[in-house]
Amino acid sequence: MKDILEPFLYPHNLFLWGLLLACVCYRRKGLWLLFFWFYLSGNTLVANQLRDWYQSQIQSSLPAGFSGDYVLLGCGGNEHSLPDCARNRILQLARMLNAQQRPAKVYMTTLHCGPYLKLLQEQSAYAEASCFDAGPTTYNEMATLKKKLDPAQHYLMISSDYHALRVAALARQHGIQAQVFAASSSTFRPVNCGLNCLLTVNLSNFDLWSKLSAEGASMLVYHLTKGWTDWYQPVPENAKGRE
């Protein structure tokens, strides 16, 4: 009984039903539009359809017989610590290296290499890692990688799940032969619930929509500005990094 009733007492669900009451009492079209937007965006069953579609578009298992090198895209951090997204990517990479049990080159693109290299070396003995600063954005990273990677070689890129489609599109554009492997994050983790999913919303779904909207907006800005700006260019060869 607790699992059934508890979701209805969350503030966002109290707001949902308060909004429905306001719609019935005041009968305003704007209120109804707000209600349906809030319900459909936050409803678990609806959002799971988007999760399922998105996950079908990205690589989520190690390709059979893969014998190429790896690229791990940076995800921020500083000289002393790693954010969760970077940790998830490194742990995913280590699992793949350990599963293959063969030495493999790993290209890591981040400004602060120390924590990245330390965690990878702790988790896998098979990585021959090269770490360098490839720029502040994914666009700089891909432009820098285009100069560093062998266009005839096949690579497996590791990024976060919500980031994977944009990375794959940029790799194709730069002529990099790469499959993009999606390290999991809480954004795409399905929410477990029963019939109360039909009558409630979940705030994690708004995180899902906001991240995908931001990814799409980022690509739109890139395509609109790349012809007359240079913010996406590769970093200089002498940029900070460490082998």
Side-chain angles (χ1 to χ4, degrees), residues 10-20 23 30-44 46-47 199-203 205-206 209:
Y10 293 150
H12 44 282
N13 285 320
L14 292 175
F15 174 80
L16 174 71
W17 293 105
L19 183 59
L20 178 60
C23 290
L31 284 175
W32 281 109
L33 289 174
L34 179 61
F35 171 79
F36 283 114
W37 171 84
F38 188 69
Y39 174 75
L40 293 175
S41 298
N43 182 264
T44 302
V46 174
L199 304 174
T200 59
V201 297
N202 192 290
L203 291 182
N205 292 333
F206 293 101
W209 292 106

Side-chain angles (χ1 to χ4, degrees), residues 139 173 216-232:
Y139 305 99
Q173 179 175 317
S218 177
M219 284 295 287
L220 179 61
V221 170
Y222 170 66
H223 285 299
L224 289 176
T225 63
K226 69 178 182 177
W228 51 278
T229 63
D230 60 358
W231 59 268
Y232 56 88

Side-chain angles (χ1 to χ4, degrees), residues 177-211:
Q177 298 188 58
Q179 293 175 281
V180 181
F181 191 96
S184 63
S185 70
S186 57
T187 299
F188 277 86
R189 188 174 300 151
V191 181
N192 295 322
C193 60
L195 291 177
N196 52 17
C197 282
L198 296 171
L199 304 174
T200 59
V201 297
N202 192 290
L203 291 182
S204 67
N205 292 333
F206 293 101
D207 177 53
L208 170 75
W209 292 106
S210 65
K211 279 191 169 64

Side-chain angles (χ1 to χ4, degrees), residues 18 48 59 93-95 103 140 151 154 156 170 202:
N48 275 348
Q59 185 76 36
L93 171 60
R95 285 193 290 269
N140 300 114
H154 289 267
L156 194 62
L170 290 171
N202 192 290

Side-chain angles (χ1 to χ4, degrees), residues 8-224:
F8 293 99
L9 301 179
Y10 293 150
H12 44 282
N13 285 320
L14 292 175
F15 174 80
L16 174 71
W17 293 105
L19 183 59
L20 178 60
L21 179 63
C23 290
V24 173
C25 292
Y26 294 101
R27 301 178 183 178
R28 294 287 190 271
K29 292 180 180 179
L31 284 175
W32 281 109
L33 289 174
L34 179 61
F35 171 79
F36 283 114
W37 171 84
F38 188 69
Y39 174 75
L40 293 175
S41 298
N43 182 264
T44 302
L45 295 179
V46 174
N48 275 348
Q49 299 303 309
L50 176 62
R51 283 189 176 91
D52 291 341
W53 171 81
Y54 188 95
Q55 290 176 331
S56 71
Q57 306 300 306
I58 58 180
Q59 185 76 36
S60 57
S61 60
L62 183 65
F66 176 74
S67 60
D69 297 332
Y70 293 83
V71 177
L72 187 137
L73 298 180
C75 195
N78 55 45
E79 295 177 355
H80 307 290
S81 63
L82 291 170
D84 288 341
C85 59
R87 182 175 296 275
N88 288 341
R89 295 179 190 186
I90 295 169
L91 294 178
Q92 181 60 68
L93 171 60
R95 285 193 290 269
M96 297 166 76
L97 290 169
N98 293 337
Q100 287 202 304
Q101 296 185 348
R102 66 174 178 86
K105 290 183 179 179
V106 176
Y107 300 88
M108 307 175 79
T109 60
T110 182
L111 175 60
H112 301 291
C113 292
Y116 282 73
L117 291 168
K118 180 181 178 182
L119 180 59
L120 180 59
Q121 290 164 0
E122 290 174 350
Q123 297 295 321
S124 178
Y126 298 102
E128 298 175 357
S130 173
C131 185
F132 51 89
D133 177 22
T137 72
T138 306
Y139 305 99
N140 300 114
E141 288 181 301
M142 300 305 291
T144 302
L145 286 168
K146 180 181 180 180
K147 296 174 62 177
K148 289 183 175 290
L149 300 181
D150 183 352
Q153 176 69 279
H154 289 267
Y155 298 91
L156 194 62
M157 290 186 173
I158 293 87
S159 186
S160 300
D161 43 19
Y162 58 85
H163 198 212
L165 277 186
R166 181 156 63 101
V167 171
L170 290 171
R172 288 193 299 271
Q173 179 175 317
H174 286 287
I176 301 173
Q177 298 188 58
Q179 293 175 281
V180 181
F181 191 96
S184 63
S185 70
S186 57
T187 299
F188 277 86
R189 188 174 300 151
V191 181
N192 295 322
C193 60
L195 291 177
N196 52 17
C197 282
L198 296 171
L199 304 174
T200 59
V201 297
N202 192 290
L203 291 182
S204 67
N205 292 333
F206 293 101
D207 177 53
L208 170 75
W209 292 106
S210 65
K211 279 191 169 64
L212 293 188
S213 297
E215 290 287 307
S218 177
M219 284 295 287
L220 179 61
V221 170
Y222 170 66
H223 285 299
L224 289 176

